[in-house]
Amino acid sequence: LLLVNCRKLCILKGVFPREPKKKVKGNNQTYYHVKDIAFIQHDPLLEKLREQRAYQKKIHKALAKKNEDLATRLRTREPSYTLDRLIRERYPKFVDALRDLDDCLSMVHLFAALPAVERLKINVERVHSCRRLSHEWQAYVARCHKLRKVFVSVKGIYYQAEVEGQKITWLAPHAMQQVLPDDVNFSVMLTFVEFYETLLGFVNFRLYHSISVKYPPILDPRLEALAADLYALTRYMNGNTKRISEEQESGSTKPEHTRGQLEGAQFEESELRLSQLQHQLPSNEDRALMHLIEEDDDNDDDEDTKKCKKLFKNMKFYLSREVPRESLLFVIPAFGGVVSWEGDAAPFTEADQSITHQIVDRPSQGHMYLSREYIQPQWIYDCINFGVILEAHRYLVGRVPPPHLSPFVDNEAEGYFPDYAETIKRFEAAAKNEVLPMPGVGKDDLDDPQLLLAEGYLSRTEAIEVAERKKEVKKPFISFPSVGLSDFLVHLCLLAFIFTLLTVFFGCVPEGNFGEAVS
């Protein structure tokens, strides 16, 4: 077996190099465990790789003999293999696949933004496949409101979603021209992408069926041609979910002998709809809202999901052409907003009077509508990370925005609180009607008026009033007057005499012993 195929088989099987304590044959060698090599020694994929190598020799032999027709026929019948068995072997449970999805999503999003280069064996089909899989994943996250954090950095945009209790973080590159370096081994990366494509396809299949949506989706070719794949996916998911729910309701009420006829009629109808799909243009929805978010039952959602649904509720956004469109088309619907963009196939135009916010990333804006806010894209990401609608005047067009703080950094663990983080914290407390301590004062210190007096936050009169108020609060509800020892004895004798009279009158003590009872 060639070294290239051996490395490829190890990557596909999940066998990685090890660092032994003592490198017998030098530092320039790659070491594996003996058990790992024995594990892949009899894998069926090994025979497939050998068949491909023998078949490539036939093609090279035909080309050497200048027999182009034979080489072309051999290429059409080249043996292939699938990785479905390896996915089931490496991930016996769906949760295991979700835990290993971070690198998968980062790699797929990276190749979705790369150009097709024949020299590096990055073909167009692979780029389109990665782009389709990434958009399908984003459409599910936006539809189910599973996105939690977003951070824009120099490397790209970091996202974090929570799917079935698992936090998944990935990095998506900026929508810019990518430069391919020469010191990167793209053959190894292509092997990883080959495995990750199959893995992400399985995950998307499971997630789409969990929300009653058929997979793979069939999109509008007009929207695909206009690079509106994410919008086309959301339209498909919303329409498919409604149709499946209606079919389930109608199928449960129909008898058994009529369900076969209904299924045949529905199949013919679906075939007719698919044949006419290319003629369905967005003009049928002239100035209609982009209903990415459907009002559904919130009983099964957790608190974070309910909060994400309502963040941008009743807000309508319009994207200018200079902003990162794909990222904002992903994050705004994930938090309950309605969005459109400048270009063809947009749900509504810029002249729509119901638009509440327009995202602009330019020094100045020419024509402005008084009924909407003109803000920078950072406002969207900061609102998502802090979970509240921030003040828009800090992000107006032409102003220097506040620092973009990372939601992945724990300020308490780091021991440093940025000034803007303190401002946002007080803004959140004001939104929740909470009272926060003053800067430099902890929550426990608010109960100590002497400490506040020493720090200069309170005057002496205010500190005395606070101390008296605390004493009144600590007083018991029932208070007894203080008495001396003589008064106590008098009261005790009086109680004893009353008890004796009661016992005599009720016949508990004989008459002759009345004196003894009194004594």
Side-chain angles (χ1 to χ4, degrees):
L1 189 65
L2 293 178
L3 180 61
V4 178
N5 291 336
C6 180
R7 185 186 293 118
K8 182 176 183 179
L9 183 61
C10 291
I11 292 174
L12 296 178
K13 292 287 291 184
V15 175
F16 302 102
R18 308 289 183 170
E19 286 292 333
K21 295 182 179 179
K22 184 178 180 181
K23 297 183 179 180
V24 182
K25 295 187 178 181
N27 295 329
N28 58 343
Q29 301 292 331
T30 304
Y31 297 89
Y32 293 89
H33 278 172
V34 177
K35 292 183 179 180
D36 293 340
I37 300 301
F39 173 66
I40 66 175
Q41 190 173 3
H42 303 287
D43 194 82
L45 188 60
L46 184 61
E47 297 298 328
K48 287 289 184 180
L49 296 177
R50 287 173 177 168
E51 289 179 10
Q52 284 187 346
R53 182 188 175 190
Y55 205 84
Q56 288 292 333
K57 290 182 179 180
K58 293 181 181 180
I59 296 177
H60 293 323
K61 185 177 180 180
L63 292 176
K65 293 181 178 181
K66 298 182 180 181
N67 193 347
E68 298 290 342
D69 296 336
L70 179 58
T72 304
R73 289 196 304 268
L74 289 175
R75 286 195 183 97
T76 56
R77 294 177 294 177
E78 186 175 358
S80 60
Y81 58 88
T82 59
L83 303 178
D84 301 347
R85 179 184 56 83
L86 295 182
I87 298 297
R88 293 193 298 268
E89 178 184 318
R90 292 182 58 177
Y91 307 105
K93 295 182 180 180
F94 184 63
V95 179
D96 300 333
L98 292 178
R99 291 171 182 169
D100 201 20
L101 212 60
D102 295 358
D103 294 338
C104 172
L105 289 173
S106 299
M107 189 71 73
V108 169
H109 281 80
L110 172 62
F111 272 79
L114 292 182
V117 181
E118 185 178 358
R119 175 177 57 88
L120 299 175
K121 298 182 180 180
I122 304 176
N123 50 24
V124 180
E125 290 79 10
R126 171 127 315 155
V127 174
H128 286 176
S129 176
C130 292
R131 184 175 178 83
R132 175 183 58 83
L133 290 171
S134 62
H135 284 162
E136 289 172 358
W137 166 261
Q138 292 179 6
Y140 169 79
V141 173
R143 177 67 176 80
C144 299
H145 312 281
K146 299 298 183 181
L147 191 63
R148 296 294 179 263
K149 298 178 182 179
V150 185
F151 178 66
V152 183
S153 68
V154 179
K155 295 181 180 180
I157 304 177
Y158 289 88
Y159 300 99
Q160 186 179 90
E162 187 174 356
V163 180
E164 296 191 5
Q166 302 296 325
K167 292 184 178 180
I168 304 171
T169 308
W170 71 96
L171 173 64
H174 294 289
M176 302 169 60
Q177 179 65 30
Q178 303 294 330
V179 179
L180 304 181
D182 297 331
D183 56 346
V184 176
N185 192 348
F186 282 94
S187 61
V188 177
M189 296 181 66
L190 286 171
T191 305
F192 277 102
V193 170
E194 181 183 0
F195 178 79
Y196 287 151
E197 282 185 61
T198 309
L199 173 60
L200 190 55
F202 270 86
V203 172
N204 289 344
F205 175 83
R206 174 69 178 273
L207 294 177
Y208 272 58
H209 277 258
S210 66
I211 58 175
S212 302
V213 177
K214 292 183 179 180
Y215 187 86
I218 302 174
L219 307 182
D220 192 338
R222 167 74 185 278
L223 295 177
E224 287 186 289
L226 295 173
D229 300 347
L230 190 57
Y231 176 39
L233 274 167
T234 50
R235 287 183 57 187
Y236 168 80
M237 293 178 68
N238 294 332
N240 197 274
T241 305
K242 289 182 179 179
R243 184 165 54 83
I244 289 180
S245 60
E246 292 174 359
E247 290 176 0
Q248 291 177 353
E249 293 177 359
S250 61
S252 60
T253 57
K254 297 293 181 181
E256 292 293 336
H257 66 277
T258 58
R259 290 183 182 177
Q261 300 177 359
L262 287 175
E263 290 177 359
Q266 290 171 0
F267 178 76
E268 294 178 358
E269 181 184 355
S270 62
E271 291 293 332
L272 180 61
R273 290 178 60 189
L274 292 179
S275 63
Q276 296 176 350
L277 187 61
Q278 57 182 353
H279 303 293
Q280 295 179 1
L281 301 180
S283 58
N284 299 332
E285 304 177 356
D286 187 20
R287 296 192 180 185
L289 294 181
M290 183 181 178
H291 292 292
L292 300 182
I293 309 303
E294 297 292 330
E295 297 295 335
D296 50 1
D297 191 10
D298 295 342
N299 296 330
D300 298 336
D301 297 333
D302 53 1
E303 294 297 330
D304 294 337
T305 304
K306 293 179 181 179
K307 185 179 178 181
C308 292
K309 283 184 178 181
K310 300 177 181 179
L311 183 62
F312 293 144
K313 190 176 181 181
N314 300 327
M315 292 187 182
K316 197 171 179 181
F317 298 89
Y318 186 82
L319 309 179
S320 299
R321 64 179 182 269
E322 70 274 2
V323 302
R325 191 180 79 175
E326 286 195 1
S327 177
L328 294 175
L329 282 178
F330 168 46
V331 300
I332 291 177
F335 288 86
V338 180
V339 61
S340 181
W341 63 92
E342 182 178 350
D344 297 333
F348 49 86
T349 61
E350 185 181 2
D352 195 338
Q353 296 297 328
S354 60
I355 297 175
T356 59
H357 297 79
Q358 183 165 344
I359 314 299
V360 182
D361 195 9
R362 60 184 70 173
S364 61
Q365 177 70 16
H367 181 70
M368 301 181 67
Y369 294 89
L370 299 179
S371 60
R372 68 186 66 168
E373 296 280 353
Y374 289 85
I375 52 179
Q376 301 182 39
Q378 184 182 332
W379 182 83
I380 298 290
Y381 300 116
D382 288 348
C383 290
I384 291 173
N385 294 332
F386 292 109
V388 293
I389 302 299
L390 302 177
E391 299 175 346
H393 68 87
R394 296 175 178 267
Y395 303 86
L396 294 179
V397 180
R399 289 190 177 183
V400 178
H404 182 50
L405 304 179
S406 174
F408 300 97
V409 176
D410 189 1
N411 294 328
E412 295 183 359
E414 295 292 333
Y416 169 70
F417 283 87
D419 296 338
Y420 191 60
E422 293 284 350
T423 304
I424 296 300
K425 188 177 180 180
R426 297 189 175 279
F427 188 79
E428 293 176 359
K432 298 178 182 179
N433 295 325
E434 295 180 356
V435 178
L436 290 181
M438 289 166 287
V441 181
K443 290 186 177 181
D444 298 336
D445 299 335
L446 290 177
D447 297 334
D448 191 357
Q450 298 298 329
L451 179 61
L452 296 178
L453 175 62
E455 294 291 338
Y457 294 110
L458 294 178
S459 62
R460 184 172 297 278
T461 304
E462 293 174 345
I464 294 174
E465 292 178 357
V466 172
E468 291 178 354
R469 196 178 302 114
K470 288 179 61 178
K471 290 181 180 179
E472 293 178 358
V473 172
K474 291 182 180 180
K475 284 184 178 180
F477 293 100
I478 301 175
S479 59
F480 297 94
S482 59
V483 295
L485 180 60
S486 59
D487 296 336
F488 175 75
L489 294 176
V490 172
H491 293 161
L492 182 62
C493 294
L494 181 61
L495 289 174
F497 182 74
I498 294 173
F499 173 75
T500 305
L501 291 177
L502 291 176
T503 54
V504 170
F505 289 146
F506 285 99
C508 297
V509 180
E511 294 181 359
N513 297 332
F514 179 74
E516 297 178 1
V518 172
S519 63

